[in-house]
Amino acid sequence: MSKKLTSRATDYSKWYNELVVKADLAENSAVRGCMVIKPYGYAIWEKMQGELDRMFKETGHQNAYFPLFVPKSLFEAEEKNAEGFAKECAVVTHYRLQNDPENKGKLRVDPEARLEEELVVRPTSEAIIWNTFRGWIQSYRDLPLLINQWANVVRWEMRTRLFLRTAEFLWQEGHTAHETREEALAEAELMNNVYAAFVEKFMAIPVIQGLKTESERFAGADETYCIEALMQDGKALQAGTSHFLGQNFAKAFDVKFANKEGKQDYVWATSWGVSTRLMGALIMTHSDDYGLVLPPSLAPNQVVIVPIYKSEEDLAAITEVAESIISDLRVKNITVKYDNRTTQRPGAKFAQHELQGVPLRIAIGPKDLANGTVELARRDTLTKEIVGLHDITDKVDGLLHEIQDTLFNKALKFRNEHITEVDTFEAFKEVLEVKTGFISAHWDGTTETEDKIKELTKATIRCIPLNAKLEEGVCVYSGKPSKQRVLFAKAY
Amino acid sequence: MSKKLTSRATDYSKWYNELVVKADLAENSAVRGCMVIKPYGYAIWEKMQGELDRMFKETGHQNAYFPLFVPKSLFEAEEKNAEGFAKECAVVTHYRLQNDPENKGKLRVDPEARLEEELVVRPTSEAIIWNTFRGWIQSYRDLPLLINQWANVVRWEMRTRLFLRTAEFLWQEGHTAHETREEALAEAELMNNVYAAFVEKFMAIPVIQGLKTESERFAGADETYCIEALMQDGKALQAGTSHFLGQNFAKAFDVKFANKEGKQDYVWATSWGVSTRLMGALIMTHSDDYGLVLPPSLAPNQVVIVPIYKSEEDLAAITEVAESIISDLRVKNITVKYDNRTTQRPGAKFAQHELQGVPLRIAIGPKDLANGTVELARRDTLTKEIVGLHDITDKVDGLLHEIQDTLFNKALKFRNEHITEVDTFEAFKEVLEVKTGFISAHWDGTTETEDKIKELTKATIRCIPLNAKLEEGVCVYSGKPSKQRVLFAKAY
């Protein structure tokens, strides 16, 4: 079985698909557009979940669980939201199968078991949650209501790709209710900050925070905050979004509260989410032609130890050394795996761990035993060195931090080198052809211009960066006046 | 708002429903038979998940994620499994809604967006998982394959009750593949043991391990192990099941492996699951007319501290003492909440924490400040005592262990007092009328007798206990010979 990947230079998209499958992260399933997340991929997702969940709880949010199904009448209540998701939703119409009288051994939908009202499989849960919030909120004492849900959602996408765009995906969706517009806006910003902090600190991916334009906003939102990352092929990826929903859902579901003066008012809302799509961002930011490269903060195994031996005697001596290293590393909360499988040769193990992005590999052979050393190999730089046993714990601990920083800084340098300011539409198109990446350009603020640029170049406005400096200019396409540059890119 | 519950003696079923809703555990949703798990209920479920997940990983299992949908052709592949679940499954037939031309503002299923093949929302995942396993298993080197999934599943139950029986529920489902029949049987037994250990140690619920009769087995299993618990109303509750699936799914999905001799053989399988139904068992085993009683091992807050004050000065002094207690308790990994809400009076706080089953409550007032004491109240016994501040950490730590043991022993005593050996059908019926609980009786081993007894008494065979002593006898109904007593009960 060849583990060799197509190179990124040859075919980036093929490289990605091969890596995802060969590194045992995910694979396509028998259900169109739905993936199977394999144990190794799921272990990385679990680490991401763990950190995010902690960050949500630290900012006062509580987890809950709401139904998978949304009755059609609730689904259609918030008109823009319904319009945005109606075209790609899975609909349950029946609740029973029966033996197919025309096909022995086969089943068919029982025509008599038709639901009175169709159920939409949630593409997002605002409708079912706001219908529930109506019963939970009576007065300002019940606010803010800060809820998060870990769940699966379904959007019937026509063109799917493992992790990046799948018909079913896993995500978390925060849904909060507030007394005032200001509080809800602050919450939406806070959670966008939490996402940025998580993605930068743990995933080692630099992001740009910004606002979406009206046409790129979440269906039903008054404002969408986002974090945008840049992949190695120069395409952008939306890594997370946080929406200020105004009073739209409160009005659609009649959720009012008595304020401190005793007056009834509609509550203000936010929602925010990140999904298994982040796995795609993680892979595409750091990995190379040899396979996955993982930031130590999210690696299921930060270190792997491979014994190299010919005799059982050597193995016993190596195992003794390995166990001592393992116990020292565990004291420092470093996750380490001793790969003493007898079904694989060391070369095959090296190749597998390289492909799966284990940050550090320690090899121990008979020579090392004699010299009191080990061979330490670093996945991100593919470099090796001989390290004395007495130094190994500190060395590993230091290197794991160094790798985490190196990955972030490398991605940051690449991202910064791929933000190009342009002032003409010719230059705009040239960047897309030659250099790719983000294009910082003036835009006249109209959906018309945005659509036209998209039609001509396939580039979209990724975001209006937060806190960007004001600068007088003219729209790169229409020549109309503009006060701030926005970021364009081709995107996943 | 009255928090007073209907008493168990008055109406056990009503008591249960009220408790679930008023203690903020769960509530019914707008979707028939589907519940909303509220934050407090979900926090308990998260604690259960955390312990179970750790136990699964310690026994070598890895988490993964498989699609929500099962294409009809896969669903029907294992005939018995299909037959068992076809009658109660939600079926997706369409992938789009459109504006309803006859009803402005309403949506309808787009008749042109009909799926070529219907998708069943998983009631259980054997079919989709075994279809995937075919690609994962080639040789004995790939075995055992030990996979677990945390997921939502849907079974279109007609009569539903919060946690106990809901159309959608949360669960974990283990799916494993093995080289031999013996290994698969050992795995099924191991996981039933893991469930028993979890339920007894963490939930403080004694269980009886046994085998299901043929008619009570999982659809598609050759053998079903189970753990059975007894609720306070004398009805049994199946708390978890672990299935030996033989080669049924391997044959249905053509999953073969090359054994050590290089010969092809079908693999052997198990599956096992516990669900949010366990929440129902937890509630019904320990709680009382005042509300939920939680074993400390699963309480989101093991201790709550309530300040009792009239002046801001008092509050400041109480807060100082409370913070010192909290920091000492946290060193011992005790979870504690300081309930300093200003929107509620102490009496309302006491009532809420009682209703929500917080194991220990500490109240601190000005008198306590003067005396260097606190008032410590125990939820399970509803007793209070005055404790010196210098003793409080050890006292709390000791009491939490004592409460955990007390709850288990109380439930064990009740359960043991409610196992009645009977040798006549008259006595059998009398127990069901008067004493309820488990009935230990001889049975002739036929489904016919089992069905007849069920029809006449509504009692079912809960299990054939493991390791029960052999004993010659005659069937309580048919008079035919029998070698072992089995356990009957009315059940949830």
Side-chain angles (χ1 to χ4, degrees):
Chain A
M1 149 186 77
S2 165
K3 292 271 187 180
K4 190 84 182 138
L5 302 175
T6 298
S7 76
R8 287 164 294 175
T10 307
D11 187 337
Y12 190 82
S13 173
K14 202 171 169 198
W15 163 82
Y16 174 81
N17 291 334
E18 285 182 7
L19 192 160
V20 170
V21 172
K22 291 191 176 178
D24 279 338
L25 301 176
E27 64 183 37
N28 286 308
S29 77
V31 190
R32 204 200 63 78
C34 293
M35 65 180 159
V36 172
I37 306 179
K38 299 181 78 174
Y40 191 64
Y42 199 82
I44 299 169
W45 175 242
E46 276 182 322
K47 296 213 66 146
M48 291 167 59
Q49 279 189 302
E51 297 297 347
L52 283 165
D53 196 66
R54 183 183 52 71
M55 293 171 95
F56 298 156
K57 284 173 178 160
E58 280 174 7
T59 44
H61 303 84
Q62 294 183 295
N63 288 332
Y65 188 76
F66 297 85
L68 170 67
F69 300 129
V70 186
K72 188 168 70 64
S73 57
L74 293 186
F75 183 83
E76 64 199 8
E78 209 294 322
E79 209 174 326
K80 282 190 184 166
N81 190 249
E83 197 186 306
F85 289 101
K87 290 176 211 77
E88 49 178 35
C89 62
V91 187
V92 175
T93 55
H94 291 75
Y95 58 85
R96 190 160 63 222
L97 294 174
Q98 61 176 195
N99 290 321
D100 185 344
E102 287 162 28
N103 258 312
K104 202 172 138 44
K106 303 289 177 188
L107 298 169
R108 68 166 194 189
V109 159
D110 180 348
E112 286 178 22
R114 197 180 167 91
L115 290 169
E116 278 181 40
E117 180 177 13
E118 292 90 346
L119 298 173
V120 176
V121 181
R122 61 181 165 216
T124 181
S125 301
E126 279 77 6
I128 190 78
I129 288 180
W130 278 87
N131 187 60
T132 308
F133 277 4
R134 188 175 52 249
W136 293 7
I137 298 168
Q138 273 86 44
S139 101
Y140 70 91
R141 287 184 195 85
D142 303 316
L143 299 173
L145 181 59
L146 306 173
I147 299 293
N148 177 61
Q149 163 170 275
W150 290 96
N152 53 343
V153 286
V154 172
R155 297 177 185 177
W156 210 258
E157 304 273 1
M158 277 303 147
R159 277 181 302 180
T160 60
R161 290 192 66 191
L162 292 166
F163 289 124
L164 295 169
R165 199 172 288 275
T166 47
E168 181 193 13
F169 56 88
L170 303 184
W171 79 345
Q172 60 66 219
E173 46 183 322
H175 296 273
T176 71
H178 306 264
E179 285 181 63
T180 65
R181 176 188 166 83
E182 291 65 37
E183 280 181 40
L185 269 168
E187 166 78 8
E189 280 177 36
L190 170 70
M191 297 321 289
N192 206 55
N193 287 335
V194 165
Y195 288 155
F198 168 75
V199 173
E200 297 205 330
K201 183 170 174 203
F202 293 95
M203 301 181 68
I205 302 176
V207 294
I208 293 168
Q209 294 197 52
L211 284 168
K212 288 287 179 190
T213 60
E214 193 183 341
S215 65
E216 297 274 340
R217 253 178 229 152
F218 177 75
D222 283 356
E223 203 71 270
T224 288
Y225 293 83
C226 65
I227 52 172
E228 294 284 326
L230 192 67
M231 304 296 101
Q232 288 181 61
D233 63 346
K235 282 170 80 173
L237 185 144
Q238 174 182 299
T241 48
S242 181
H243 317 293
F244 168 66
L245 304 173
Q247 295 176 314
N248 302 335
F249 286 90
K251 286 179 178 165
F253 292 94
D254 196 29
V255 186
K256 291 182 187 167
F257 74 106
N259 66 19
K260 289 185 184 102
E261 290 76 42
K263 278 192 203 153
Q264 292 283 312
D265 196 5
Y266 289 109
V267 300
W268 297 83
T270 82
S271 68
W272 28 275
V274 295
S275 73
T276 37
R277 182 162 222 243
L278 285 179
M279 290 286 293
L282 186 72
I283 296 160
M284 288 201 295
T285 301
H286 304 301
S287 302
D288 62 24
D289 292 349
Y290 299 92
L292 190 63
V293 173
L294 281 177
S297 291
L298 296 178
N301 299 304
Q302 296 173 309
V303 181
V304 63
I305 301 179
V306 179
I308 297 169
Y309 60 97
K310 287 190 181 147
S311 70
E312 286 301 312
E313 240 177 10
D314 281 352
L315 177 60
I318 291 168
T319 300
E320 200 176 312
V321 171
E323 279 170 0
S324 151
I325 295 173
I326 290 168
S327 107
D328 288 348
L329 291 178
R330 289 202 175 138
V331 169
K332 290 195 179 260
N333 285 320
I334 294 167
T335 53
V336 50
K337 181 181 173 163
Y338 185 39
D339 186 357
N340 59 353
R341 285 175 296 169
T342 53
T343 48
Q344 306 282 333
R345 293 177 161 279
K349 293 178 186 178
F350 283 19
Q352 185 191 339
H353 299 310
E354 199 168 270
L355 186 58
Q356 295 195 310
V358 182
L360 289 174
R361 180 187 75 220
I362 294 172
I364 314 177
K367 248 190 217 163
D368 295 303
L369 284 182
N371 298 336
T373 59
V374 300
E375 184 194 79
L376 183 60
R378 186 172 157 169
R379 174 62 186 90
D380 64 328
T381 53
L382 295 167
T383 51
K384 294 181 202 173
E385 60 182 310
I386 303 297
V387 179
L389 270 179
H390 58 288
D391 276 339
I392 189 70
T393 311
D394 287 344
K395 183 80 192 178
V396 164
D397 196 28
L399 271 182
L400 290 174
H401 287 97
E402 192 180 320
I403 294 170
Q404 186 79 25
D405 291 346
T406 303
L407 290 178
F408 179 78
N409 289 326
K410 192 176 160 197
L412 181 64
K413 183 165 178 282
F414 177 84
R415 199 274 312 272
N416 287 345
E417 285 170 359
H418 286 79
I419 303 178
T420 312
E421 284 200 2
V422 306
D423 293 311
T424 68
F425 199 52
E426 285 314 302
F428 187 106
K429 286 185 285 187
E430 197 188 315
V431 171
L432 287 177
E433 296 287 318
V434 181
K435 194 181 170 192
T436 72
F438 287 116
I439 298 173
S440 175
H442 280 282
W443 162 61
D444 63 19
T446 69
T447 302
E448 194 189 346
T449 297
E450 190 181 3
D451 288 347
K452 195 72 194 172
I453 292 176
K454 184 177 177 182
E455 186 193 320
L456 293 170
T457 67
K458 290 185 181 153
T460 50
I461 299 178
R462 303 316 306 153
C463 71
I464 304 161
L466 296 182
N467 310 318
K469 64 176 195 291
L470 292 184
E471 178 194 287
E472 296 288 336
V474 296
C475 174
V476 76
Y477 181 75
S478 69
K480 290 183 189 157
S482 151
K483 293 207 155 116
Q484 191 196 328
R485 290 177 183 270
V486 299
L487 288 181
F488 289 85
K490 289 188 188 171
Y492 279 95
Chain B
M1 152 183 75
S2 166
K3 293 268 186 183
K4 190 85 181 143
L5 302 176
T6 298
S7 76
R8 288 163 294 173
T10 306
D11 186 337
Y12 190 82
S13 172
K14 201 170 169 199
W15 164 81
Y16 174 81
N17 291 336
E18 285 181 8
L19 192 160
V20 170
V21 172
K22 291 191 177 177
D24 278 339
L25 301 175
E27 65 183 38
N28 286 308
S29 77
V31 190
R32 205 200 62 80
C34 293
M35 66 181 158
V36 171
I37 306 178
K38 299 180 79 173
Y40 191 64
Y42 199 82
I44 299 169
W45 174 242
E46 275 182 323
K47 296 213 67 148
M48 292 169 58
Q49 280 189 301
E51 297 297 347
L52 283 165
D53 196 68
R54 183 183 53 70
M55 293 172 95
F56 298 156
K57 284 173 178 160
E58 280 173 7
T59 44
H61 302 84
Q62 294 182 294
N63 288 332
Y65 188 77
F66 298 85
L68 170 67
F69 299 128
V70 187
K72 188 169 70 63
S73 56
L74 294 185
F75 183 82
E76 64 200 8
E78 210 293 323
E79 211 175 323
K80 281 188 186 167
N81 190 249
E83 198 186 304
F85 289 101
K87 289 177 213 76
E88 50 179 34
C89 62
V91 188
V92 175
T93 55
H94 292 74
Y95 58 85
R96 191 161 62 225
L97 294 174
Q98 62 177 196
N99 289 322
D100 185 343
E102 286 162 29
N103 256 313
K104 200 169 140 47
K106 303 289 177 187
L107 298 169
R108 66 164 195 193
V109 160
D110 179 349
E112 287 178 22
R114 196 180 167 92
L115 291 170
E116 279 183 40
E117 181 177 13
E118 291 90 347
L119 298 172
V120 176
V121 181
R122 61 181 166 216
T124 180
S125 300
E126 279 77 7
I128 190 79
I129 287 181
W130 277 87
N131 186 60
T132 308
F133 277 4
R134 188 173 54 247
W136 293 7
I137 298 169
Q138 275 85 45
S139 102
Y140 70 91
R141 288 185 195 85
D142 303 317
L143 299 174
L145 182 59
L146 306 173
I147 300 293
N148 177 60
Q149 163 170 275
W150 289 97
N152 52 344
V153 286
V154 172
R155 298 178 185 176
W156 211 258
E157 305 273 2
M158 276 304 146
R159 276 181 302 178
T160 60
R161 289 191 67 190
L162 291 167
F163 289 124
L164 296 169
R165 199 172 288 276
T166 47
E168 181 192 13
F169 56 89
L170 302 184
W171 79 343
Q172 61 66 220
E173 45 182 325
H175 295 272
T176 70
H178 305 265
E179 286 182 61
T180 65
R181 177 188 164 83
E182 290 66 35
E183 279 180 41
L185 270 168
E187 166 80 7
E189 280 177 35
L190 170 70
M191 297 320 290
N192 207 55
N193 287 335
V194 165
Y195 287 155
F198 168 75
V199 173
E200 297 204 329
K201 184 170 173 201
F202 293 95
M203 301 181 69
I205 302 177
V207 294
I208 292 168
Q209 293 197 51
L211 284 168
K212 287 288 178 189
T213 60
E214 194 183 340
S215 66
E216 296 275 340
R217 256 178 227 151
F218 178 74
D222 284 356
E223 203 71 271
T224 288
Y225 293 82
C226 64
I227 52 172
E228 294 285 327
L230 193 66
M231 304 296 100
Q232 288 180 62
D233 63 346
K235 283 171 80 175
L237 185 144
Q238 173 182 299
T241 48
S242 180
H243 316 294
F244 168 65
L245 303 174
Q247 294 176 315
N248 302 335
F249 286 90
K251 285 178 180 166
F253 291 95
D254 196 29
V255 185
K256 290 181 188 168
F257 74 107
N259 66 19
K260 288 183 185 103
E261 289 77 44
K263 278 191 203 152
Q264 292 284 312
D265 196 4
Y266 289 109
V267 300
W268 297 84
T270 82
S271 68
W272 28 275
V274 295
S275 73
T276 36
R277 182 163 222 245
L278 285 178
M279 291 286 293
L282 186 71
I283 296 160
M284 288 201 295
T285 301
H286 304 301
S287 302
D288 62 23
D289 293 349
Y290 299 92
L292 190 62
V293 174
L294 281 176
S297 292
L298 296 178
N301 299 305
Q302 296 173 310
V303 181
V304 63
I305 302 178
V306 178
I308 298 169
Y309 59 96
K310 287 191 180 148
S311 70
E312 286 300 314
E313 239 177 13
D314 281 351
L315 177 61
I318 291 168
T319 299
E320 199 175 314
V321 171
E323 279 169 1
S324 152
I325 295 173
I326 289 168
S327 108
D328 289 346
L329 290 178
R330 289 202 175 138
V331 169
K332 292 198 177 256
N333 285 320
I334 294 166
T335 52
V336 48
K337 180 180 171 165
Y338 185 38
D339 186 356
N340 59 353
R341 286 176 294 170
T342 53
T343 48
Q344 306 282 332
R345 294 180 161 276
K349 293 179 186 177
F350 284 19
Q352 183 190 340
H353 300 310
E354 198 168 270
L355 186 57
Q356 296 195 309
V358 181
L360 289 173
R361 181 188 74 220
I362 294 172
I364 314 176
K367 248 190 216 163
D368 295 301
L369 285 181
N371 299 337
T373 59
V374 302
E375 184 195 77
L376 183 60
R378 188 171 155 169
R379 174 62 185 90
D380 64 330
T381 53
L382 295 167
T383 51
K384 293 182 204 173
E385 59 182 312
I386 302 298
V387 179
L389 270 179
H390 57 288
D391 276 338
I392 189 72
T393 311
D394 287 343
K395 183 79 190 177
V396 164
D397 196 28
L399 270 183
L400 289 174
H401 287 96
E402 191 180 320
I403 294 170
Q404 186 80 24
D405 291 346
T406 302
L407 290 179
F408 179 78
N409 289 326
K410 192 176 160 198
L412 182 64
K413 183 163 179 281
F414 177 84
R415 200 274 312 273
N416 287 345
E417 285 170 359
H418 286 80
I419 303 178
T420 313
E421 284 199 3
V422 306
D423 293 312
T424 68
F425 200 52
E426 285 314 301
F428 187 107
K429 285 185 285 188
E430 197 188 316
V431 171
L432 287 177
E433 296 287 318
V434 181
K435 194 180 169 191
T436 73
F438 287 117
I439 298 173
S440 175
H442 281 282
W443 163 61
D444 63 19
T446 68
T447 301
E448 196 190 342
T449 296
E450 190 182 3
D451 287 348
K452 196 70 195 170
I453 292 175
K454 184 176 176 182
E455 187 193 319
L456 293 170
T457 68
K458 290 185 183 153
T460 51
I461 300 179
R462 300 319 303 153
C463 71
I464 305 162
L466 296 182
N467 312 318
K469 64 174 195 292
L470 292 184
E471 178 193 286
E472 295 290 335
V474 295
C475 175
V476 77
Y477 180 75
S478 69
K480 289 182 190 158
S482 151
K483 295 204 153 116
Q484 193 197 327
R485 289 178 185 269
V486 300
L487 288 181
F488 289 85
K490 290 189 189 169
Y492 279 96

